[in-house]
């Protein structure tokens, strides 16, 4: 790819020298950055042609990303980083968005582009046959906040980008469409899918046609939108998302999608920590390192990479980039928050800075204790948890209030050192609290509201009941109101009829069977939380779920260890919801999307929900992006056993190609029943806490 960019620009620059009227359009700031890094003579030629107006900067994003999986903050960074790059190198920003191969268009794009200084948008997927309701050609694209940009839908599939196309026939086709719509049309041509630009043969054909057709000329997207701007009020309008294409992509390669979410979370959390340290102590942030990390994440959000459609070695490369970004963020977060915590005066009065006992885990001085600083990265107060690698008898915060503690099994087996302590306390918004810990065995709390049996979890507000025969969650009642209309199930779906992308298939509902055969184990029954493990298997795939309920909790958190070994099958968590006239709602980048409950596979961010007028239920997640809803049931897709880069290849398949999602993966989801409408349930805040835990020093 790095080489192809250089070769394409070299070819395009030569064509600019040879054909006086030819204009070249190219998106993606990453391409120009590669030229600047590795081919300075080419880059200087490009700068000259941009200044002359013969190379048109479009896109305004680092690459052409998927537009459903990246977080809203990531899409903002795609624009921010790229527009800053264009402005610094070429003296102006892009004004036309350009995602001709991204697999779907989320509903807040018009707002994003408008706020990034852009006026126009060119796109192609979904195609005419996949969603014929979207206007053809030029139209006004709107977001729910009222933002609007001019948009153009390219009316061809990827075959239109080959040099074998019939350019004269394409011009005739679009001339007729221009007559029908009353607006000019853009004719896209050239070898664009994998680089190369227009060929000399194709340009010679165009040159021979132009003198005979006075209604056709060379152009750029910017010039096209300027030409049709006077027609704006006459153009049709479309508000919201534009789906579907390649619906399988939102569940393929679970490890990569989880790694992307983790890297995004780490970068955003670190920047908050940098601001905190700067305001408190004037600690200088390492913005250069974090900038490199963001570029790793932005590159990996290229639609084929983030959607898991690459060959397997490329998917493995993406894990390295995401890992590098997360490591950079973690290192910087630790550095700046250590500076903050080290500045807090926790010294014992009139004593030297040294422990008075031989305990390498707890360095406190009796009776003062050991300080633990807990940071809250969220813009709201909330209860946060931390794990201390020792047994703690008691703890209090700065005001002397008691802190909730619970002895828990550690992730180690080390003679007598097998237990940690869970610390649970409220931490102020975008701030910290200092907890003083006292070593020893914690005293049991007799007044804990938590209760756990082999098949139940409850805390006074929320009660979960499990089916002893199947392991399914059979009942989930909040304040006495039942949230389930039937037991939740783990369902396997047959997807042997689709490829990795799932071209032209939008629903995955061919049930193979449920995963059951349960084993129950009570893991925790303490004052902070109760935990029940349910392990289910079908002999090939094993799902271990640890259901956790906190003392004040009104949602059921589930830590999942999935050992998946299915081929051409999806695993879905089905949750039938008990509410009248449910509406399907899901978080999308920087917004919320209402959808019709059709059973189609849909992209989501950190939550999806069914909501009625009086109650509803949401599924929060830490790294899943695909779900469906039908007949009052939510189905979150947990794994996709497609083959890697299986492109319409059912008749050519063999077992030499890697299957995706094989083996162990870990993630967390939460079942959140709520009263009233979804807007009052605080789903975004709940998802923030689930995805971005606090930091402790």
């Amino acid at each position: 790819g790095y080489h192809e960019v250089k070769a394409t620009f070299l070819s395009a620059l030569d064509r600019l020298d040879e054909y006086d009227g030819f204009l070249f359009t190219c998106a993606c700031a990453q391409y120009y950055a590669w030229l600047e890094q590795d081919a300075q003579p080419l880059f200087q030629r490009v700068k000259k042609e941009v200044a002359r107006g013969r190379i048109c900067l479009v896109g305004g994003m680092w690459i052409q990303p998927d537009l459903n999986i990246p977080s809203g903050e990531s899409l903002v960074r795609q624009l921010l980083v790229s527009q800053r790059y264009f402005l610094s190198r070429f003296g102006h920003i892009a004004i036309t968005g350009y995602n001709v191969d991204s697999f779907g268009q989320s509903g807040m794009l018009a707002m994003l582009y408008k706020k990034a200084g852009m006026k126009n948008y060119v796109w192609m997927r979904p195609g005419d046959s996949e969603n014929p309701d979207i206007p053809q050609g030029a139209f006004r694209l709107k977001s729910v906040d009222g933002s609007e940009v001019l948009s153009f839908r390219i009316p061809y599939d990827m075959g239109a980008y080959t040099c074998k196309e019939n350019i004269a026939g394409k011009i005739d086709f679009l001339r007729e469409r221009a007559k029908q719509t009353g607006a000019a049309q853009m004719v896209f041509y050239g070898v664009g899918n994998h680089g190369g630009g227009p060929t000399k043969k194709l340009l010679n054909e165009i040159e021979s046609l132009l003198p005979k057709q006075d209604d056709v000329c060379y152009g750029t997207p910017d010039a096209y939108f300027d030409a049709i701007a006077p027609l704006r009020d006459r153009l049709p309008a479309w508000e919201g998302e534009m789906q579907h294409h390649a619906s399988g992509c939102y569940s393929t390669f679970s490890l990569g999608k989880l790694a992307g979410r983790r890297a995004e979370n780490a970068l955003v959390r670190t920047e908050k920590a940098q601001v905190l340290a700067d305001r408190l102590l004037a600690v200088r942030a390492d913005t250069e390192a974090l900038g490199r990390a963001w570029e790793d994440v932005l590159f990996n959000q290229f639609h084929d990479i983030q959607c898991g459609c690459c060959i397997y070695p490329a998917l493995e490369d993406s894990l390295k980039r995401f890992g590098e970004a997360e490591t950079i963020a973690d290192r910087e977060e630790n550095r700046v928050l250590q500076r903050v915590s080290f500045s807090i005066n926790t010294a014992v009065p009139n004593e030297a800075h040294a422990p008075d006992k031989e305990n390498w885990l707890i360095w406190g001085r009796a009776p003062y204790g050991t300080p633990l600083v807990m940071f809250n990265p969220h813009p709201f107060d909330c209860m946060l948890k931390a794990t201390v690698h020792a047994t703690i008898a008691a703890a209090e915060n700065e005001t002397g209030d008691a802190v909730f503690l619970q002895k828990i099994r550690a992730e180690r087996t080390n003679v007598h050192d097998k237990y940690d302590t869970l610390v649970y306390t409220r931490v102020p918004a975008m701030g910290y609290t200092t907890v003083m810990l006292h070593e020893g065995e914690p005293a049991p709390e007799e007044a804990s509201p938590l209760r756990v049996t082999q098949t139940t979890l409850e805390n006074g507000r929320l009660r979960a009941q499990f089916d002893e025969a199947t392991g399914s969650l059979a009942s989930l009642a909040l304040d006495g109101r039942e949230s389930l209309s039937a037991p939740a199930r783990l369902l396997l779906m047959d997807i042997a009829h689709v490829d990795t992308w799932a071209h032209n298939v939008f629903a995955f509902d061919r049930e193979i069977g449920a995963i059951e055969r349960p084993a129950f184990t009570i893991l925790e029954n303490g004052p902070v939380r109760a935990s029940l493990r349910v392990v289910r298997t079908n002999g090939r795939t094993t799902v271990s779920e640890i259901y956790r309920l906190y003392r004040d909790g009104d949602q059921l958190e589930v830590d999942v260890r999935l050992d998946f070994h299915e081929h051409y099958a999806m695993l879905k968590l089905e949750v039938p919801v008990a509410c009248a006239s449910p509406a399907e709602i899901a978080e999308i980048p920087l917004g919320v999307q209402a959808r019709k409950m059709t059973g189609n596979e849909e992209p989501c961010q950190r939550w999806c929900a069914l909501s009625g007028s009086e109650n509803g239920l949401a599924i929060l997640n830490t790294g899943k992006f695909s779900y469906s809803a039908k007949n009052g049931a939510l189905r979150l897709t947990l794994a996709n056993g497609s083959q890697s880069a299986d492109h319409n290849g059912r008749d050519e398949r063999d077992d030499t190609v890697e299957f995706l999602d094989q083996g162990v993966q870990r993630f967390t989801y939460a079942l959140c029943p709520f009263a009233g409408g979804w807007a009052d349930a605080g789903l975004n805040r709940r998802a923030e806490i689930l995805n971005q835990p606090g930091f402790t020093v």
Side-chain angles (χ1 to χ4, degrees), residues 476-545:
L476 186 64
L478 176 65
D479 297 328
R481 182 198 288 268
E482 180 57 57
S483 300
L484 304 184
S485 60
R489 298 187 295 167
L490 290 172
L491 294 175
L492 286 171
M493 302 294 182
D494 177 18
I495 56 170
H497 59 296
V498 304
D499 59 19
T500 310
W501 288 256
H503 287 105
N504 301 310
V505 177
F506 307 124
F508 309 112
D509 51 10
R510 299 183 180 183
E511 293 186 25
I512 300 172
I515 296 181
E516 298 175 339
R517 294 166 51 186
F520 296 86
T521 306
I522 297 173
L523 295 183
E524 297 174 329
N525 187 15
V528 174
R529 71 184 180 197
S531 300
L532 179 65
R533 184 176 64 200
V534 182
V535 180
R536 287 177 278 179
T537 183
N538 66 353
R540 296 180 305 278
T541 290
T542 299
V543 186
S544 174
E545 296 177 296

Side-chain angles (χ1 to χ4, degrees), residues 1-263:
Y2 196 111
H3 169 79
E4 194 64 45
V5 164
K6 293 184 289 184
T8 298
F9 271 110
L10 181 58
S11 173
L13 289 164
D14 288 345
R15 302 295 82 76
L16 288 169
D17 290 341
E18 296 163 359
Y19 298 87
D20 292 339
F22 171 57
L23 302 171
F24 184 64
T25 297
C26 186
C28 306
Q30 174 71 89
Y31 301 166
Y32 297 90
W34 279 341
L35 280 190
E36 185 180 20
Q37 293 166 5
D38 192 54
Q40 265 294 321
L42 276 182
F43 183 69
Q44 294 305 320
R45 289 178 66 188
V46 167
K47 286 187 69 173
K48 178 181 176 182
E49 297 298 344
V50 170
R52 294 174 61 194
R54 298 195 68 196
I55 290 182
C56 180
L57 305 176
V58 293
M61 290 185 167
W62 198 242
I63 37 74
Q64 291 188 38
D66 181 77
L67 298 166
N68 289 307
I69 296 175
S71 68
E73 183 63 31
S74 283
L75 292 181
V76 168
R77 299 308 174 102
Q78 287 281 354
L79 292 159
L80 178 66
V81 174
S82 304
Q83 295 285 56
R84 283 179 173 174
Y85 180 84
F86 283 153
L87 185 62
S88 65
R89 296 330 191 259
F90 304 106
H92 65 87
I93 63 173
I95 61 170
T96 299
Y98 197 85
N99 287 300
V100 297
D101 195 31
S102 298
F103 298 156
Q105 320 293 320
S106 60
M108 301 304 292
L109 283 182
M111 183 195 76
L112 279 162
Y113 282 127
K114 198 77 173 179
K115 289 182 179 294
M118 306 177 83
K119 304 186 296 183
N120 317 306
Y121 181 47
V122 179
W123 62 282
M124 184 174 69
R125 304 198 183 282
D128 295 0
S129 63
E130 295 166 318
N131 192 332
D133 296 333
I134 302 170
Q136 301 292 344
F139 63 95
R140 292 174 291 136
L141 177 63
K142 296 183 175 183
S143 293
V144 294
D145 73 321
S147 299
E148 179 182 300
V149 294
L150 283 178
S151 178
F152 185 84
R153 183 186 196 184
I154 301 175
Y156 333 107
D157 62 14
M158 191 59 72
Y161 288 92
T162 69
C163 57
K164 299 176 182 178
E165 63 191 327
N166 177 3
I167 190 67
K170 184 182 291 186
I171 290 172
D172 289 341
F173 169 77
L174 288 171
R175 181 181 287 111
E176 288 301 311
R177 178 162 286 182
K179 292 177 182 177
Q180 295 168 7
T181 62
Q185 301 288 307
M186 278 194 278
V187 183
F188 284 81
Y189 67 98
V191 187
N193 185 28
H194 291 282
T199 62
K200 295 180 70 170
K201 177 182 178 182
L202 186 53
L203 284 169
N204 287 335
E205 185 177 353
I206 292 172
E207 291 281 325
S208 70
L209 292 171
L210 287 178
K212 308 169 189 176
Q213 306 190 46
D214 58 7
D215 60 344
V216 180
C217 64
Y218 286 112
T220 65
D222 289 357
Y224 170 79
F225 285 113
D226 285 344
I228 67 166
L231 306 176
R232 188 183 203 105
D233 293 341
R234 291 167 41 193
L235 296 175
W238 179 273
E239 182 177 299
E241 66 180 345
M242 299 182 289
Q243 313 287 6
H244 302 88
H245 175 83
S247 294
C249 295
Y250 301 114
S251 56
T252 53
F253 194 47
S254 293
L255 289 179
K257 289 178 171 57
L258 176 61
R261 175 79 64 83
R262 287 173 57 99

Side-chain angles (χ1 to χ4, degrees), residues 293-336:
W294 268 114
E295 288 180 10
D296 278 335
V297 170
L298 300 182
F299 180 85
N300 266 2
Q301 289 169 344
F302 183 74
H303 51 278
D304 283 311
I305 298 174
Q306 185 78 95
C307 286
C309 301
C310 297
I311 59 174
Y312 203 77
L315 297 179
E316 291 180 313
D317 282 347
S318 75
L319 292 179
K320 297 175 187 176
R321 281 182 181 259
F322 278 137
E324 179 183 45
E326 186 178 2
T327 298
I328 290 171
D330 286 349
R331 185 182 299 121
E332 174 68 356
E333 180 183 43
N334 182 66
R335 181 184 72 87
V336 297

Side-chain angles (χ1 to χ4, degrees), residues 457-673:
L457 279 170
E458 58 185 315
N459 67 356
R461 288 203 64 195
L462 192 67
R463 187 177 192 276
Q465 175 77 46
F466 297 85
D467 185 287
E468 191 171 2
T470 65
S472 297
L473 179 65
S475 171
L476 186 64
L478 176 65
D479 297 328
R481 182 198 288 268
E482 180 57 57
S483 300
L484 304 184
S485 60
R489 298 187 295 167
L490 290 172
L491 294 175
L492 286 171
M493 302 294 182
D494 177 18
I495 56 170
H497 59 296
V498 304
D499 59 19
T500 310
W501 288 256
H503 287 105
N504 301 310
V505 177
F506 307 124
F508 309 112
D509 51 10
R510 299 183 180 183
E511 293 186 25
I512 300 172
I515 296 181
E516 298 175 339
R517 294 166 51 186
F520 296 86
T521 306
I522 297 173
L523 295 183
E524 297 174 329
N525 187 15
V528 174
R529 71 184 180 197
S531 300
L532 179 65
R533 184 176 64 200
V534 182
V535 180
R536 287 177 278 179
T537 183
N538 66 353
R540 296 180 305 278
T541 290
T542 299
V543 186
S544 174
E545 296 177 296
I546 300 176
Y547 293 86
R548 301 192 190 276
L549 182 60
Y550 286 81
R551 60 180 295 128
D552 57 348
D554 57 0
Q555 65 186 36
L556 188 62
E557 296 184 12
V558 190
D559 291 335
V560 182
R561 182 187 186 276
L562 169 61
D563 191 5
F564 187 77
H565 296 278
E566 311 292 336
H567 293 175
Y568 307 119
M570 278 185 179
L571 179 64
K572 284 179 168 281
L573 167 69
E574 180 187 72
V575 183
V577 181
C579 67
S581 303
E584 178 184 336
I585 309 289
E587 184 189 34
I588 63 172
L590 293 182
V592 174
Q593 184 71 52
R595 297 181 171 121
K596 295 180 180 179
M597 203 185 313
T598 62
N600 284 340
E601 199 77 359
E602 303 284 2
C604 67
Q605 287 281 305
R606 300 169 303 178
W607 59 265
C608 55
L610 293 183
S611 177
S613 59
E614 296 183 356
N615 71 299
L617 184 141
I619 306 178
L620 318 177
N621 74 83
T622 60
K624 299 300 174 182
F625 295 86
S626 194
Y627 80 100
S628 59
K630 191 175 183 179
N631 299 328
L634 273 175
R635 288 178 169 178
L636 183 68
T637 304
L638 307 181
N640 181 333
S642 297
Q643 276 190 304
S644 171
D646 173 22
H647 197 292
N648 292 319
R650 180 168 185 169
D651 296 334
E652 301 295 330
R653 288 171 177 162
D654 57 54
D655 61 2
T656 62
V657 178
E658 289 278 356
F659 283 87
L660 299 173
D661 281 5
Q662 303 300 294
V664 173
Q665 56 171 292
R666 292 177 173 86
F667 56 91
T668 299
Y669 70 86
L671 300 176
C672 176

